[in-house]
Amino acid sequence: MNISIYTITSELHDKVAINQATKEFLGALDFEYDFKDSDYSTYGDADLNLIYVRTGGTEGVFKKIQPLLMERSSRPFYLLTSGKSNSLAASMEILSYLNINKLKGEIIHGDAAYISTRVKELVQVESARKKLIGTRLGVIGAPSDWLISSIASPVAVKQKLGIEIVNIAIDEVVDAYNAIADTPSDCATLAEKATTKATKEAAPGAVKLYYALKEVATRHRLNGFTIRCFDLLGVVRNTSCYALARLNAEGIVAGCEGDIPTLLTMMITKAVTGVSGFQANPSRIDPKTGEMLVAHCTIPLNMVTRYELDTHFESGIGIGIRGYMAEGPVTIFKVSGDLSRHFTAEATLERSLAEPNLCRTQQVLQLTKPEQATYFLTAPIGNHHVIAPGHVASILSALLNT
């Protein structure tokens, strides 16, 4: 964590008393920080920059230095406050001033435990945001024909998160695939996971697609991509499910069906949690209990405790991944293509299934708030949603709301 704390103080207050109160207040907080006092020359350099409003009568001081602070950082103003010397009252006046001028800010106030928890969350938010700036995401082919609502606004995505979206012809993948003459040496290891003769025979082609997609991603300097994968079925008679699962585990965020909003969701998920998340279709939902089943034919290999191979569900050819995640807390997450909407819901992964009539990785989730099941039936953001490990809804929402 990289946190800097700056101060604003009224000259009317006793300096000795204020310094003692500062020592007591900051000493109770459970995080490391650099204390910059009133020297704002490095403001904006840290992952999180806090302004400790130490006393009342500081509103004018803030107004005077605000233009300089905005030159150094475009992030919200985070006002750290205590319960002494009218710190909270002054912070409320400052925040009201910011709101009137359509600027973002937040007062961080409460006991030491709450302040420490909130600051740590904000550090994660700001750190994730910095990771996203300059990201290049590829769209290989176009979104699949059935994704009639899953479109994106490259301009909005660039403005809000600093992510660049680039279009790439799917022929580049096919050409890279055909250029691989020899059978990859690691296909034997993959074949050991096969559950049928057909999947064992499909292993070499699945591994070749992995190398082909990796080569295209390297060529275009991509941090991630989504591919119109169903087009590969008729061309190379195989699927990209294994390739996507492996690339995600190696740090290249990889989604399927050319779904750009889901790719954005996965990229944000990785910035926050360190893993891409599981791109899944909700398959069954009980609106009364909040239990739901999600499924898809690929999942990042670094998210599973074990996996095996089956055929791709819809086509019955190639390779699909049946992966098993550890049971426990998860978060369901999705953003719209222009980032104007997002959905988060915390849940528990209760068990995995292996039903033959669904995509191969199947998870039964129990929503923490069962009433959130109505979202999927009344106002969903497309069909695919991303399953992230842990309960991180507040951090994901904060990233998109600030």
Side-chain angles (χ1 to χ4, degrees), residues 28 40 45 84 94 122 182 193 212 222 227 233 269 274 288 298 301 314 323 341 348 357 371:
Y40 282 84
D45 291 350
K84 297 181 178 180
I94 292 170
L122 290 173
D182 299 326
K193 299 283 187 179
L222 302 179
I227 182 169
L233 298 175
T269 299
K288 300 187 299 296
T298 185
L301 296 184
E314 288 91 345
R341 288 185 63 203
T348 300
N357 62 340
E371 63 271 19

Side-chain angles (χ1 to χ4, degrees), residues 65-313:
I65 65 173
Q66 176 212 332
L68 171 64
L69 304 186
M70 292 184 64
E71 287 179 6
R72 296 195 54 85
S73 175
S74 61
R75 303 302 301 131
F77 292 99
Y78 295 111
L79 307 174
L80 187 62
T81 71
S82 70
K84 297 181 178 180
S85 302
N86 287 325
S87 172
L88 178 58
S91 296
M92 291 172 63
E93 185 71 16
I94 292 170
L95 183 57
S96 177
Y97 168 79
L98 292 172
N99 290 338
I100 289 171
N101 287 279
K102 299 184 172 16
L103 298 172
K104 292 184 176 181
E106 177 184 338
I107 295 172
I108 304 174
H109 177 75
D111 61 20
Y114 170 81
I115 291 175
S116 298
T117 298
R118 181 56 179 159
V119 166
K120 289 175 183 178
E121 286 182 346
L122 290 173
V123 167
Q124 286 187 270
V125 168
E126 297 301 323
S127 178
R129 183 177 291 276
K130 285 188 175 182
K131 292 176 185 176
L132 293 171
I133 296 173
T135 292
R136 284 172 58 85
L137 299 181
V139 181
I140 304 177
S144 295
D145 294 342
W146 49 86
L147 296 179
I148 59 175
S149 73
S150 299
I151 57 177
S153 169
V155 173
V157 171
K158 179 75 170 179
Q159 288 178 341
K160 294 181 180 180
L161 291 180
I163 295 175
E164 181 181 2
I165 297 176
V166 296
N167 295 310
I168 301 166
I170 199 169
D171 289 346
E172 289 196 35
V173 176
V174 176
D175 291 343
Y177 176 91
N178 290 332
I180 302 173
D182 299 326
T183 300
S185 59
D186 45 350
C187 72
T189 302
L190 179 62
E192 293 175 359
K193 299 283 187 179
T195 57
T196 67
K197 180 181 178 182
T199 51
K200 194 180 192 74
E201 292 174 347
V207 176
K208 284 176 65 176
L209 271 174
Y210 156 76
Y211 283 107
L213 282 165
K214 188 173 185 178
E215 196 277 326
V216 171
T218 301
R219 182 190 310 161
H220 290 276
R221 298 177 289 109
L222 302 179
N223 302 98
F225 66 86
T226 182
I227 182 169
R228 187 180 169 100
C229 49
F230 276 75
D231 283 11
L232 296 173
L233 298 175
V235 179
V236 301
R237 295 296 296 170
N238 214 314
T239 61
S240 59
C241 301
Y242 168 73
L244 305 184
R246 184 170 170 181
L247 288 167
N248 273 308
E250 294 174 355
I252 299 175
V253 176
C256 43
E257 299 179 39
D259 189 334
I260 308 172
T262 299
L263 174 63
L264 292 170
T265 306
M266 294 173 72
M267 196 72 224
I268 296 168
T269 299
K270 183 176 184 294
V272 169
T273 68
V275 295
S276 306
F278 169 38
Q279 175 181 341
N281 290 317
S283 299
R284 293 197 292 265
I285 299 174
D286 187 329
K288 300 187 299 296
T289 66
E291 183 179 273
M292 59 188 296
L293 172 64
V294 299
H296 224 214
C297 280
T298 185
I299 184 172
L301 296 184
N302 61 341
M303 290 183 64
V304 301
T305 56
R306 64 185 178 91
Y307 73 95
E308 57 196 26
L309 307 182
D310 202 338
T311 56
H312 178 248
F313 168 59

Side-chain angles (χ1 to χ4, degrees), residues 28-44:
L29 302 179
D30 182 26
F31 57 84
E32 295 183 358
Y33 58 87
D34 291 326
F35 185 67
K36 303 293 186 177
D37 205 353
S38 58
D39 179 6
Y40 282 84
S41 62
T42 59
Y43 184 83

